[in-house]
Amino acid sequence: MSHLEPPSLAKKSRRPLQHYYRAAVIIAVCGMFSYGGYSMFHLYQNAKISQIKAQKLSAQALALSASLSEETAMNQDLNQALADKNKSLVALNQRIDDMETVLGIEPADDSQTITQRVDTAAINSAVRATLFQLIPNGAPTPNVQLTSGFGTRIHPITKKRKRHDGLDFAAKIGTPIYAPADAVIERARNSNYGYGNQLTLNHTMGFTSTYSHMSKFKVKQGEFVKKGQLIGWTGNSGLSTGPHLHYEIRFLGKPLNPRPFVKWNIENFDSLFKQEKNVQWASLLNTINSMVAMQVQLTGDEHHDLGITTVNHTQSTTNQDDF
């Protein structure tokens, strides 16, 4: 007969195995929970880090967007400023063109900069202003009628044919007389004969002007006067048939017809050079041009061109009507 193990012993032998299985299962479950918890914690940490990074990126994106908006606004302002500058440049070019036309300057070539064109126009303007300041121009007694011109005539007193070297203005006694250009008083002579009380003004570049039959002087010999300054008053002194001013202009002692000088102004600038042939205007203009260009050079850019032709005195000009 076979030997059988008692039931109680079999039950006792199975209990340790069940304990082992339970422990293993518990351990496995705990391990799985622990691993799962660790994994979840790790995922949470990663999610948190990703969220922080996303917030930083969002903040950077906002900053970049704000910077881009600011740069866009700046670009718009710069484009508007550039458009305004271009508009001003076009207007400036037009004004320079107009100025060159008025001054009789040859049209500028493409090689000339705006600065050079402005300098040329400035020199031309300065040359003209200088000429009007230094050379007699305009009437010494404004708004007074001219009664006798330059040339040969019958003398109103001697009744003999005689050369008349000036102009006579029918001015009442006490009419103001003004210097037609800067000058120094060369002579102030009182006399009851001939030309009577007479002033002689020594201008620059060889020009002089004389005022006769005056009643009173405002200046004295050796005094410097400016254009437009009061120098005396008209009268009826000396050999005269009535109150008037006898006005003469001379160049190197030679009498010139004062009429073109009296009518000379900015609007008919070239007319004097055509009508008066006894003055070497080209040489005089070159001298004045050099003086003015040097002044512009000293007060501005050191690269100014001193060889600029400032006056085109060969340009045709409509002759002005005589008095």
Side-chain angles (χ1 to χ4, degrees), residues 238-249:
L239 187 61
S240 173
T241 57
H244 74 285
L245 172 68
H246 176 76
Y247 175 54
E248 294 185 10
I249 293 179

Side-chain angles (χ1 to χ4, degrees), residues 131 134-136 181-184 186 200-210 248-254 256 261 264 272-273 276 278-281 284:
L131 289 171
L134 300 181
I135 297 176
D182 294 353
V184 60
E186 181 177 306
T200 299
L201 274 61
N202 192 333
H203 305 283
T204 189
M205 304 296 176
F207 291 91
T208 61
S209 59
T210 304
E248 294 185 10
I249 293 179
R250 294 175 181 264
F251 177 70
L252 300 180
K254 182 176 182 178
L256 305 178
F261 292 86
W264 189 37
L272 179 64
F273 312 134
E276 183 51 70
N278 293 308
V279 179
Q280 296 185 14
W281 295 111
L284 186 150

Side-chain angles (χ1 to χ4, degrees), residues 5-66:
E5 190 177 294
S8 59
L9 292 174
K11 289 180 180 180
K12 290 181 179 180
S13 62
R14 287 197 297 270
R15 286 178 181 174
L17 292 175
Q18 291 176 354
H19 288 303
Y20 288 138
Y21 287 135
R22 288 178 181 175
V25 170
I26 291 171
I27 291 173
V29 171
C30 289
M32 290 178 64
F33 275 109
S34 298
Y35 179 76
Y38 173 77
S39 297
M40 290 180 67
F41 177 77
H42 185 68
L43 289 174
Y44 172 77
Q45 288 292 100
N46 288 339
K48 195 70 174 178
I49 293 172
S50 298
Q51 184 180 9
I52 294 173
K53 290 183 178 179
Q55 290 176 348
K56 289 183 177 180
L57 290 175
S58 178
Q60 291 177 355
L62 290 174
L64 289 174
S65 178

Side-chain angles (χ1 to χ4, degrees), residues 92-304:
L92 178 60
N93 273 301
Q94 184 60 50
R95 292 182 63 183
I96 295 175
D97 289 340
D98 295 341
M99 188 182 301
E100 289 173 341
T101 301
V102 171
L103 295 175
I105 303 174
E106 294 295 330
D109 54 41
D110 294 336
S111 64
Q112 281 190 309
T113 64
I114 289 182
T115 301
Q116 290 172 330
R117 293 177 65 191
V118 170
D119 291 342
T120 302
I123 291 175
N124 274 270
S125 299
V127 166
R128 296 188 180 211
T130 300
L131 289 171
F132 284 124
Q133 193 71 25
L134 300 181
I135 297 176
N137 60 91
T141 52
N143 303 318
V144 174
Q145 182 182 0
L146 178 69
T147 56
S148 184
F150 178 87
T152 304
R153 66 169 188 173
I154 302 297
H155 195 279
I157 296 180
T158 64
K159 305 301 181 182
K160 295 181 179 180
R161 193 168 186 81
K162 185 178 180 181
R163 181 175 176 83
H164 189 235
D165 289 334
L167 302 178
D168 287 344
F169 293 92
K172 297 179 180 180
I173 295 177
T175 300
I177 304 172
Y178 301 98
D182 294 353
V184 60
I185 307 302
E186 181 177 306
R187 183 176 60 177
R189 185 190 67 180
N190 289 291
S191 175
N192 292 323
Y193 303 95
Y195 287 110
N197 300 328
Q198 186 180 66
L199 271 182
T200 299
L201 274 61
N202 192 333
H203 305 283
T204 189
M205 304 296 176
F207 291 91
T208 61
S209 59
T210 304
Y211 312 81
S212 304
H213 308 296
M214 295 177 61
S215 61
K216 187 178 180 181
F217 303 141
K218 175 65 175 178
V219 293
K220 58 184 178 180
Q221 184 173 333
E223 183 178 346
F224 288 88
V225 295
K226 301 292 292 182
K227 175 179 172 60
Q229 181 175 334
L230 179 66
I231 58 176
W233 295 268
T234 60
N236 191 32
S237 58
L239 187 61
S240 173
T241 57
H244 74 285
L245 172 68
H246 176 76
Y247 175 54
E248 294 185 10
I249 293 179
R250 294 175 181 264
F251 177 70
L252 300 180
K254 182 176 182 178
L256 305 178
N257 186 356
R259 184 171 297 178
F261 292 86
V262 169
K263 301 179 67 174
W264 189 37
N265 56 51
I266 192 65
E267 296 179 356
N268 61 1
F269 182 76
D270 291 334
S271 63
L272 179 64
F273 312 134
K274 289 178 170 296
Q275 296 177 42
E276 183 51 70
K277 305 296 185 180
N278 293 308
V279 179
Q280 296 185 14
W281 295 111
S283 177
L284 186 150
L285 293 170
N286 285 334
T287 300
I288 298 296
N289 174 64
S290 298
M291 292 168 54
V292 171
M294 182 63 69
Q295 292 174 356
V296 172
Q297 182 188 35
L298 293 175
T299 57
D301 188 354
E302 61 181 1
H303 300 297
H304 284 297

